[in-house]
Amino acid sequence: MKEPISLNSAEPIGQNAIKLISNLCFSLFVFAVLIFTVIAITYQPPDPWLQSAPALTKFFTELQNATFKDDSSVLKTGEDFAFPPAIPPATNANKPITEAVIEISEKNITNSSFKSPCDHMNQVNCSDPRVLLAIEKFNLRLFKSIVFLEYSTPVNGSKPNECDVAWKFRNKKEKSWRRYRDFRRFRIDVTDNCAYKVAGASGWHSGVNARRPVVRLNSTAVVGGKRNPKVTAPLRDTEINDTVPKIGPDAAFRRGRYLYYSRGGDYCKGMNHYLWSFLCALGEAQYLNRTFVMDLNICLASQYNPSGKDEEGKDFRFYFDFEHLKEVTSIVEDKEFLRDWKKWDKTHKKKIPVRRVATYKITPMQLRKDKSTIIWRQFDAPEPENYWYRVCEGQAAKYIQRPWHALWKSKRLMNIVSEISGRMDWDFDAVHVVRGEKAQNKQLWPHLDADTSPDTLVSKLQGMIRPWRNLYIATNEPFYNYFDKLRSHYKVHLLDDYKDLWGNTSEWYNETKLLNGGRPIDFDGYMRVEVDTEVLYRAKTRVETFYNLTGDCKDGINTC
């Protein structure tokens, strides 16, 4: 006969169920923490670019077309991205001049030996430090978009109440530490309480008496055995040092570890394609802790060349800041490298150990422990298998980070950007008008042509930009007069208005000619894109074609 079940016997069953549920929940929690930890460890932040990271990945891994069809009318480089601030050389000249700094200077000259301004009303003593302080205060009030770094002592202008002064500065929107130079003429008055004040200032580079001495190389030349002082060499920007680094003696070459890329299908492609591949190679070199062997020769793609043809023989230093690149990365120029390699193999029985890598499918992770002096990646396959950027695809994308911070635009081009902005007194708005091939392609951009027509631009910009403002137009529209209707409403500025900045008497012309072995170079389409981009980013109000002027998608229909 079965005995009745006691009520107490149900308690262990309930307790066991509670314990089972608790253990299950704890196990799920531990598993979730483990998954989160793995993701946190393996996650690599995406590279910055012109688009969002998902759009970028999809765009650059598309292999159906051998040439990238991105927006070639604008291009960002490292100084445009919000990286941690670049560390400037440790000098007092890089400390900003602020109101607090000026106040300290005023206290230090209270007991100055200079006479009171009221004692020489007919002639301003420009060397009086109180004149410089008045100019510094005036500039801080007037030019709020730039950082003042260093002033020279003012000198006399062309009239008794004028002083010329030069200073070095940088733009607040630029992330680099590079310095630029301006010199202007100021009209100085004396107040009723015998203090100096600035009554007015002239425009960009007006203070010619404060201009730095012209630095020339070999300012005299030997002609027929005699020195000819009339033959002068090109001007130099003394703050640019883009000389090619040397490897050193044989022992130093042998101790080094190098990553060498042969030319691939990227050569003569668009500049955005080139940069995407070049930074992949540089990123792999950093991952492998190796010196990257760099080819300074660039092939200018036909889309940037007025002749409509690809042009080889362009120098990397025409477009980018080689000085900054060699300061923040380990690189050596390929001609120097190949010369030292050949010299070693000629003078030593034991050859340099070389690991030849015939395909991008051998990943950087597989090469991490390779002890060879040279890892030589070869790209002999047909397109698109021979693109450098293929090395950074797939699993490698988690390990290789493109060093965007290392790539700045050429200081020579940035000098032109500063001059254009300075001529507008840093007080201008800008519109980026994309036309060209996109405006002609009605299938992908059905409304772009009409939305960027002269009449439509006038109508739309009037609601975005105040009348008679300085308006800079960054554009790939080839016809200069296309924007004439805007001139009835704004002070219109186009890049071609500043042709003197790269003409045959300009500093840029002389600098690049010197760099090119005495042969002048053209101011090509890619240089135009770089300058347009940087002036655009310095505007107080910026209007973009996509999202502001047209409803078409930036990358074509149905891609927004």
Side-chain angles (χ1 to χ4, degrees), residues 23 85 105 107 117 138 155 177 180 227 259 300 305 333 337 407 418 455 460 493 504 518 520 530:
N23 290 337
S105 298
K107 292 178 182 178
F138 178 85
V155 298
W177 48 259
Y180 305 93
R227 300 189 72 81
L259 176 64
L300 186 72
N305 200 340
E333 194 257 344
F337 167 80
L407 191 72
S418 289
D455 290 327
K460 291 188 176 182
H493 302 260
N504 58 12
E530 289 192 274

PDB file of all heavy atoms in Angstrom, residues 23 85 105 107 117 138 155 177 180 227 259 300 305 333 337 407 418 455 460 493 504 518 520 530:
ATOM      1  N   ASN A  23      21.918  28.810 -11.756  1.00  0.00           N
ATOM      2  CA  ASN A  23      23.154  28.397 -12.439  1.00  0.00           C
ATOM      3  C   ASN A  23      23.083  28.685 -13.932  1.00  0.00           C
ATOM      4  O   ASN A  23      24.074  29.090 -14.553  1.00  0.00           O
ATOM      5  CB  ASN A  23      23.406  26.904 -12.205  1.00  0.00           C
ATOM      6  CG  ASN A  23      23.797  26.606 -10.771  1.00  0.00           C
ATOM      7  OD1 ASN A  23      24.288  27.498 -10.070  1.00  0.00           O
ATOM      8  ND2 ASN A  23      23.582  25.370 -10.335  1.00  0.00           N
ATOM      9  N   PRO A  85      46.009  66.034 -31.315  1.00  0.00           N
ATOM     10  CA  PRO A  85      46.810  67.102 -31.926  1.00  0.00           C
ATOM     11  C   PRO A  85      48.237  66.663 -32.196  1.00  0.00           C
ATOM     12  O   PRO A  85      48.855  65.964 -31.390  1.00  0.00           O
ATOM     13  CB  PRO A  85      46.764  68.220 -30.869  1.00  0.00           C
ATOM     14  CG  PRO A  85      45.551  67.927 -30.056  1.00  0.00           C
ATOM     15  CD  PRO A  85      45.392  66.437 -30.049  1.00  0.00           C
ATOM     16  N   SER A 105      53.066  90.603 -20.923  1.00  0.00           N
ATOM     17  CA  SER A 105      54.036  91.455 -21.618  1.00  0.00           C
ATOM     18  C   SER A 105      53.838  92.919 -21.243  1.00  0.00           C
ATOM     19  O   SER A 105      54.803  93.671 -21.086  1.00  0.00           O
ATOM     20  CB  SER A 105      53.900  91.280 -23.132  1.00  0.00           C
ATOM     21  OG  SER A 105      54.170  89.946 -23.515  1.00  0.00           O
ATOM     22  N   LYS A 107      52.756  94.113 -18.404  1.00  0.00           N
ATOM     23  CA  LYS A 107      53.293  94.327 -17.064  1.00  0.00           C
ATOM     24  C   LYS A 107      54.813  94.426 -17.092  1.00  0.00           C
ATOM     25  O   LYS A 107      55.410  95.185 -16.320  1.00  0.00           O
ATOM     26  CB  LYS A 107      52.860  93.186 -16.137  1.00  0.00           C
ATOM     27  CG  LYS A 107      51.371  93.157 -15.848  1.00  0.00           C
ATOM     28  CD  LYS A 107      51.006  91.970 -14.967  1.00  0.00           C
ATOM     29  CE  LYS A 107      49.499  91.933 -14.720  1.00  0.00           C
ATOM     30  NZ  LYS A 107      49.116  90.745 -13.903  1.00  0.00           N
ATOM     31  N   PRO A 117      54.260 107.924 -25.889  1.00  0.00           N
ATOM     32  CA  PRO A 117      53.816 108.182 -27.262  1.00  0.00           C
ATOM     33  C   PRO A 117      53.486 109.643 -27.527  1.00  0.00           C
ATOM     34  O   PRO A 117      53.628 110.127 -28.652  1.00  0.00           O
ATOM     35  CB  PRO A 117      52.572 107.294 -27.388  1.00  0.00           C
ATOM     36  CG  PRO A 117      52.796 106.193 -26.404  1.00  0.00           C
ATOM     37  CD  PRO A 117      53.523 106.825 -25.259  1.00  0.00           C
ATOM     38  N   PHE A 138      44.934  94.026 -31.694  1.00  0.00           N
ATOM     39  CA  PHE A 138      44.103  94.268 -32.873  1.00  0.00           C
ATOM     40  C   PHE A 138      43.911  92.980 -33.672  1.00  0.00           C
ATOM     41  O   PHE A 138      42.795  92.652 -34.091  1.00  0.00           O
ATOM     42  CB  PHE A 138      44.767  95.354 -33.731  1.00  0.00           C
ATOM     43  CG  PHE A 138      44.036  95.661 -35.004  1.00  0.00           C
ATOM     44  CD1 PHE A 138      42.974  96.560 -35.030  1.00  0.00           C
ATOM     45  CD2 PHE A 138      44.407  95.052 -36.205  1.00  0.00           C
ATOM     46  CE1 PHE A 138      42.299  96.845 -36.205  1.00  0.00           C
ATOM     47  CE2 PHE A 138      43.739  95.333 -37.390  1.00  0.00           C
ATOM     48  CZ  PHE A 138      42.681  96.230 -37.393  1.00  0.00           C
ATOM     49  N   VAL A 155      58.722  97.433 -38.036  1.00  0.00           N
ATOM     50  CA  VAL A 155      59.633  98.387 -38.674  1.00  0.00           C
ATOM     51  C   VAL A 155      58.804  99.505 -39.300  1.00  0.00           C
ATOM     52  O   VAL A 155      57.587  99.385 -39.436  1.00  0.00           O
ATOM     53  CB  VAL A 155      60.510  97.702 -39.749  1.00  0.00           C
ATOM     54  CG1 VAL A 155      61.390  96.640 -39.120  1.00  0.00           C
ATOM     55  CG2 VAL A 155      59.635  97.082 -40.843  1.00  0.00           C
ATOM     56  N   TRP A 177      50.949  71.135 -37.028  1.00  0.00           N
ATOM     57  CA  TRP A 177      51.630  72.199 -36.286  1.00  0.00           C
ATOM     58  C   TRP A 177      52.367  73.156 -37.227  1.00  0.00           C
ATOM     59  O   TRP A 177      53.078  74.052 -36.773  1.00  0.00           O
ATOM     60  CB  TRP A 177      52.630  71.593 -35.298  1.00  0.00           C
ATOM     61  CG  TRP A 177      53.532  70.540 -35.894  1.00  0.00           C
ATOM     62  CD1 TRP A 177      53.394  69.187 -35.776  1.00  0.00           C
ATOM     63  CD2 TRP A 177      54.694  70.746 -36.706  1.00  0.00           C
ATOM     64  NE1 TRP A 177      54.392  68.536 -36.460  1.00  0.00           N
ATOM     65  CE2 TRP A 177      55.213  69.466 -37.042  1.00  0.00           C
ATOM     66  CE3 TRP A 177      55.357  71.878 -37.185  1.00  0.00           C
ATOM     67  CZ2 TRP A 177      56.343  69.303 -37.826  1.00  0.00           C
ATOM     68  CZ3 TRP A 177      56.481  71.709 -37.984  1.00  0.00           C
ATOM     69  CH2 TRP A 177      56.968  70.428 -38.283  1.00  0.00           C
ATOM     70  N   TYR A 180      52.715  79.319 -40.891  1.00  0.00           N
ATOM     71  CA  TYR A 180      52.659  80.115 -42.113  1.00  0.00           C
ATOM     72  C   TYR A 180      52.994  81.563 -41.760  1.00  0.00           C
ATOM     73  O   TYR A 180      53.012  81.933 -40.590  1.00  0.00           O
ATOM     74  CB  TYR A 180      51.281  79.996 -42.756  1.00  0.00           C
ATOM     75  CG  TYR A 180      50.887  78.561 -43.009  1.00  0.00           C
ATOM     76  CD1 TYR A 180      50.146  77.840 -42.058  1.00  0.00           C
ATOM     77  CD2 TYR A 180      51.290  77.900 -44.158  1.00  0.00           C
ATOM     78  CE1 TYR A 180      49.820  76.515 -42.271  1.00  0.00           C
ATOM     79  CE2 TYR A 180      50.965  76.570 -44.379  1.00  0.00           C
ATOM     80  CZ  TYR A 180      50.232  75.890 -43.434  1.00  0.00           C
ATOM     81  OH  TYR A 180      49.915  74.571 -43.634  1.00  0.00           O
ATOM     82  N   ARG A 227      82.116  85.306 -61.797  1.00  0.00           N
ATOM     83  CA  ARG A 227      80.863  85.249 -61.045  1.00  0.00           C
ATOM     84  C   ARG A 227      79.906  86.294 -61.595  1.00  0.00           C
ATOM     85  O   ARG A 227      80.261  87.460 -61.772  1.00  0.00           O
ATOM     86  CB  ARG A 227      81.112  85.479 -59.562  1.00  0.00           C
ATOM     87  CG  ARG A 227      82.042  84.444 -58.956  1.00  0.00           C
ATOM     88  CD  ARG A 227      82.105  84.565 -57.440  1.00  0.00           C
ATOM     89  NE  ARG A 227      80.885  84.115 -56.809  1.00  0.00           N
ATOM     90  CZ  ARG A 227      80.590  82.840 -56.569  1.00  0.00           C
ATOM     91  NH1 ARG A 227      81.398  81.888 -56.938  1.00  0.00           N
ATOM     92  NH2 ARG A 227      79.455  82.535 -55.969  1.00  0.00           N
ATOM     93  N   LEU A 259      60.374  46.403 -45.832  1.00  0.00           N
ATOM     94  CA  LEU A 259      59.229  45.913 -46.595  1.00  0.00           C
ATOM     95  C   LEU A 259      59.244  46.639 -47.930  1.00  0.00           C
ATOM     96  O   LEU A 259      59.154  47.871 -47.984  1.00  0.00           O
ATOM     97  CB  LEU A 259      57.921  46.182 -45.865  1.00  0.00           C
ATOM     98  CG  LEU A 259      56.637  45.789 -46.620  1.00  0.00           C
ATOM     99  CD1 LEU A 259      56.585  44.281 -46.839  1.00  0.00           C
ATOM    100  CD2 LEU A 259      55.399  46.265 -45.860  1.00  0.00           C
ATOM    101  N   LEU A 300      50.517  60.486 -62.613  1.00  0.00           N
ATOM    102  CA  LEU A 300      49.310  61.311 -62.543  1.00  0.00           C
ATOM    103  C   LEU A 300      48.263  60.754 -63.505  1.00  0.00           C
ATOM    104  O   LEU A 300      48.495  60.679 -64.709  1.00  0.00           O
ATOM    105  CB  LEU A 300      49.643  62.760 -62.898  1.00  0.00           C
ATOM    106  CG  LEU A 300      48.513  63.771 -62.726  1.00  0.00           C
ATOM    107  CD1 LEU A 300      48.240  64.026 -61.252  1.00  0.00           C
ATOM    108  CD2 LEU A 300      48.864  65.075 -63.423  1.00  0.00           C
ATOM    109  N   ASN A 305      44.976  65.465 -65.463  1.00  0.00           N
ATOM    110  CA  ASN A 305      45.954  66.048 -66.382  1.00  0.00           C
ATOM    111  C   ASN A 305      45.235  66.794 -67.504  1.00  0.00           C
ATOM    112  O   ASN A 305      44.364  66.226 -68.168  1.00  0.00           O
ATOM    113  CB  ASN A 305      46.826  64.938 -66.975  1.00  0.00           C
ATOM    114  CG  ASN A 305      48.123  65.470 -67.536  1.00  0.00           C
ATOM    115  OD1 ASN A 305      48.250  66.651 -67.823  1.00  0.00           O
ATOM    116  ND2 ASN A 305      49.094  64.589 -67.697  1.00  0.00           N
ATOM    117  N   GLU A 333      63.905  55.823 -49.378  1.00  0.00           N
ATOM    118  CA  GLU A 333      63.593  55.983 -50.805  1.00  0.00           C
ATOM    119  C   GLU A 333      64.118  54.790 -51.589  1.00  0.00           C
ATOM    120  O   GLU A 333      65.204  54.261 -51.296  1.00  0.00           O
ATOM    121  CB  GLU A 333      64.223  57.291 -51.302  1.00  0.00           C
ATOM    122  CG  GLU A 333      63.707  57.738 -52.654  1.00  0.00           C
ATOM    123  CD  GLU A 333      64.707  57.433 -53.754  1.00  0.00           C
ATOM    124  OE1 GLU A 333      65.873  57.161 -53.438  1.00  0.00           O
ATOM    125  OE2 GLU A 333      64.301  57.462 -54.928  1.00  0.00           O
ATOM    126  N   PHE A 337      67.704  52.658 -51.527  1.00  0.00           N
ATOM    127  CA  PHE A 337      67.649  51.287 -51.008  1.00  0.00           C
ATOM    128  C   PHE A 337      68.227  50.286 -52.013  1.00  0.00           C
ATOM    129  O   PHE A 337      69.051  49.436 -51.649  1.00  0.00           O
ATOM    130  CB  PHE A 337      66.186  50.953 -50.685  1.00  0.00           C
ATOM    131  CG  PHE A 337      65.924  49.503 -50.425  1.00  0.00           C
ATOM    132  CD1 PHE A 337      66.222  48.945 -49.194  1.00  0.00           C
ATOM    133  CD2 PHE A 337      65.372  48.691 -51.409  1.00  0.00           C
ATOM    134  CE1 PHE A 337      65.968  47.601 -48.952  1.00  0.00           C
ATOM    135  CE2 PHE A 337      65.113  47.356 -51.178  1.00  0.00           C
ATOM    136  CZ  PHE A 337      65.417  46.800 -49.942  1.00  0.00           C
ATOM    137  N   LEU A 407      50.004  61.416 -43.213  1.00  0.00           N
ATOM    138  CA  LEU A 407      49.892  61.981 -44.550  1.00  0.00           C
ATOM    139  C   LEU A 407      49.299  63.384 -44.495  1.00  0.00           C
ATOM    140  O   LEU A 407      48.119  63.552 -44.202  1.00  0.00           O
ATOM    141  CB  LEU A 407      49.019  61.075 -45.437  1.00  0.00           C
ATOM    142  CG  LEU A 407      49.030  61.416 -46.919  1.00  0.00           C
ATOM    143  CD1 LEU A 407      50.360  61.049 -47.547  1.00  0.00           C
ATOM    144  CD2 LEU A 407      47.901  60.699 -47.637  1.00  0.00           C
ATOM    145  N   SER A 418      46.957  79.252 -47.663  1.00  0.00           N
ATOM    146  CA  SER A 418      47.003  80.348 -46.692  1.00  0.00           C
ATOM    147  C   SER A 418      46.940  81.703 -47.380  1.00  0.00           C
ATOM    148  O   SER A 418      46.309  82.637 -46.881  1.00  0.00           O
ATOM    149  CB  SER A 418      48.287  80.246 -45.853  1.00  0.00           C
ATOM    150  OG  SER A 418      48.204  79.153 -44.967  1.00  0.00           O
ATOM    151  N   ASP A 455      21.224  79.601 -62.430  1.00  0.00           N
ATOM    152  CA  ASP A 455      20.014  80.203 -61.847  1.00  0.00           C
ATOM    153  C   ASP A 455      19.625  79.522 -60.536  1.00  0.00           C
ATOM    154  O   ASP A 455      19.222  80.188 -59.570  1.00  0.00           O
ATOM    155  CB  ASP A 455      18.855  80.121 -62.842  1.00  0.00           C
ATOM    156  CG  ASP A 455      19.043  81.056 -64.034  1.00  0.00           C
ATOM    157  OD1 ASP A 455      19.641  82.135 -63.828  1.00  0.00           O
ATOM    158  OD2 ASP A 455      18.614  80.703 -65.150  1.00  0.00           O
ATOM    159  N   LYS A 460      19.244  79.151 -54.485  1.00  0.00           N
ATOM    160  CA  LYS A 460      19.461  78.372 -53.262  1.00  0.00           C
ATOM    161  C   LYS A 460      20.456  79.037 -52.324  1.00  0.00           C
ATOM    162  O   LYS A 460      20.252  79.046 -51.093  1.00  0.00           O
ATOM    163  CB  LYS A 460      19.932  76.967 -53.624  1.00  0.00           C
ATOM    164  CG  LYS A 460      18.844  76.130 -54.289  1.00  0.00           C
ATOM    165  CD  LYS A 460      19.269  74.684 -54.473  1.00  0.00           C
ATOM    166  CE  LYS A 460      18.120  73.846 -55.040  1.00  0.00           C
ATOM    167  NZ  LYS A 460      18.483  72.424 -55.196  1.00  0.00           N
ATOM    168  N   HIS A 493      34.945  84.233 -55.630  1.00  0.00           N
ATOM    169  CA  HIS A 493      36.361  83.882 -55.780  1.00  0.00           C
ATOM    170  C   HIS A 493      36.445  82.449 -56.306  1.00  0.00           C
ATOM    171  O   HIS A 493      35.817  81.545 -55.747  1.00  0.00           O
ATOM    172  CB  HIS A 493      37.095  83.972 -54.445  1.00  0.00           C
ATOM    173  CG  HIS A 493      37.023  85.313 -53.793  1.00  0.00           C
ATOM    174  ND1 HIS A 493      38.043  86.237 -53.863  1.00  0.00           N
ATOM    175  CD2 HIS A 493      36.034  85.904 -53.054  1.00  0.00           C
ATOM    176  CE1 HIS A 493      37.701  87.325 -53.190  1.00  0.00           C
ATOM    177  NE2 HIS A 493      36.483  87.148 -52.690  1.00  0.00           N
ATOM    178  N   ASN A 504      55.010  81.813 -63.126  1.00  0.00           N
ATOM    179  CA  ASN A 504      56.461  81.609 -63.228  1.00  0.00           C
ATOM    180  C   ASN A 504      57.297  82.606 -62.413  1.00  0.00           C
ATOM    181  O   ASN A 504      58.526  82.574 -62.480  1.00  0.00           O
ATOM    182  CB  ASN A 504      56.906  81.638 -64.697  1.00  0.00           C
ATOM    183  CG  ASN A 504      56.552  82.940 -65.380  1.00  0.00           C
ATOM    184  OD1 ASN A 504      56.168  83.907 -64.731  1.00  0.00           O
ATOM    185  ND2 ASN A 504      56.686  82.974 -66.703  1.00  0.00           N
ATOM    186  N   GLY A 518      65.456  71.594 -61.850  1.00  0.00           N
ATOM    187  CA  GLY A 518      65.537  72.754 -62.721  1.00  0.00           C
ATOM    188  C   GLY A 518      64.497  72.787 -63.821  1.00  0.00           C
ATOM    189  O   GLY A 518      64.461  73.727 -64.617  1.00  0.00           O
ATOM    190  N   PRO A 520      60.585  73.164 -64.880  1.00  0.00           N
ATOM    191  CA  PRO A 520      59.303  73.637 -64.332  1.00  0.00           C
ATOM    192  C   PRO A 520      58.235  72.560 -64.451  1.00  0.00           C
ATOM    193  O   PRO A 520      58.285  71.703 -65.346  1.00  0.00           O
ATOM    194  CB  PRO A 520      58.968  74.851 -65.199  1.00  0.00           C
ATOM    195  CG  PRO A 520      59.712  74.640 -66.473  1.00  0.00           C
ATOM    196  CD  PRO A 520      60.970  73.886 -66.117  1.00  0.00           C
ATOM    197  N   GLU A 530      43.567  69.603 -54.162  1.00  0.00           N
ATOM    198  CA  GLU A 530      44.106  69.763 -52.811  1.00  0.00           C
ATOM    199  C   GLU A 530      43.887  71.187 -52.295  1.00  0.00           C
ATOM    200  O   GLU A 530      43.471  71.391 -51.147  1.00  0.00           O
ATOM    201  CB  GLU A 530      45.598  69.424 -52.799  1.00  0.00           C
ATOM    202  CG  GLU A 530      45.892  67.946 -52.985  1.00  0.00           C
ATOM    203  CD  GLU A 530      47.336  67.615 -52.671  1.00  0.00           C
ATOM    204  OE1 GLU A 530      48.182  67.733 -53.573  1.00  0.00           O
ATOM    205  OE2 GLU A 530      47.626  67.242 -51.518  1.00  0.00           O
TER     206      GLU A 530
END
